[in-house]
Amino acid sequence: MPTQVTEDAGIPALRVVPVQQVPFADVEAVFGTKGDAAHCWCQWYKLPRSEWTMNDAELAQLLERQVRDAEHGPGLIAYDGETPVGWCAVEPRSALPGLPRKRLVAEGSPDLDFDDASIWAVTCFVVPRAHRKRGVGGALAEAAVAFAREHGARVVEAYAIDPSARSKVPAADLFPGTVGMFERAGFREVARPTPNRAVMQARFDAEG
């Protein structure tokens, strides 16, 4: 994947790079040591509940192994200059065994073959507080679509939050990404399982 560069008015140029091409220390810098990201390490859709006995360091090591072993994915890192400023999880749904158990996905996705490696999912964004409201999430969403398509995806799926459907949405709840952000990245809504959660897709097959 060639480095992605975005530059909008008032927003610094951002590079988005596949995680295999960066030092894992940059991933650790984005996830930090506090908050939900530092206690999950993008394992929510990967580990069964019986394995949620790992501590934060063990979860980080698990993600590091997944980065090393994955053919494509499991994510992208955004940079402002040389500073890592964001993470986006994107990979085939077949690498996420917990997805079919989520009601939002099971009832909302029009594509229910979870062994189909050509259907990808964007499941998580992590942007440290100091780098929010600067277009990092949007740049990552656009790059995720390009990355998935380049590596054989025919469908990319996301499970977005609609902030307008709730009176107040804590920042911690926005990790799946927002409807507006995905729309700007070329996704369209395909289902609304709950008032504030939408299943969205970017398709590159004949149905798109």
Side-chain angles (χ1 to χ4, degrees):
M1 173 187 175
T3 299
Q4 302 285 322
V5 179
T6 63
E7 188 166 14
D8 298 318
I11 298 176
L14 299 173
R15 294 184 296 119
V16 182
V17 184
V19 68
Q20 284 92 349
Q21 298 178 16
V22 310
F24 195 74
D26 288 358
V27 181
E28 294 174 320
V30 170
F31 277 71
T33 59
K34 299 179 180 179
D36 291 343
H39 303 314
C40 177
W41 290 92
C42 268
Q43 302 306 306
W44 182 247
Y45 294 119
K46 295 184 177 183
L47 290 181
R49 289 189 179 185
S50 61
E51 294 186 31
W52 276 102
T53 56
M54 295 185 184
N55 60 37
D56 295 349
E58 290 171 326
L59 291 170
Q61 291 169 1
L62 183 56
L63 177 59
E64 187 172 14
R65 288 198 300 272
Q66 291 163 355
V67 169
R68 183 178 63 244
D69 296 343
E71 182 178 4
H72 304 304
L76 307 172
I77 294 286
Y79 288 85
D80 179 358
E82 297 303 314
T83 303
V85 296
W87 154 273
C88 171
V90 54
E91 59 190 317
R93 288 194 321 184
S94 55
L96 302 166
L99 268 182
R101 297 193 293 269
K102 302 302 178 183
R103 182 177 177 183
L104 172 73
V105 182
E107 295 184 0
S109 175
D111 297 281
L112 296 179
D113 181 357
F114 291 95
D115 294 323
D116 185 344
S118 71
I119 303 175
W120 285 47
V122 179
T123 55
C124 181
F125 294 83
V126 180
V127 180
R129 187 183 301 273
H131 305 292
R132 293 173 188 167
K133 299 184 179 180
R134 300 173 59 197
V136 176
L140 283 163
E142 292 177 7
V145 173
F147 178 75
R149 186 172 191 175
E150 179 181 339
H151 290 96
R154 62 181 181 84
V155 180
V156 186
E157 197 164 79
Y159 314 104
I161 294 281
D162 185 352
S164 68
R166 293 170 58 181
S167 58
K168 186 177 181 180
V169 181
D173 288 357
L174 296 176
F175 73 90
T178 66
V179 168
M181 185 179 75
F182 283 116
E183 287 177 340
R184 291 187 290 274
F187 289 73
R188 66 180 181 87
E189 185 174 323
V190 296
R192 181 69 69 128
T194 68
N196 70 311
R197 296 296 300 272
V199 177
M200 306 189 73
Q201 288 188 341
R203 302 190 71 102
F204 316 120
D205 56 13
E207 297 180 37

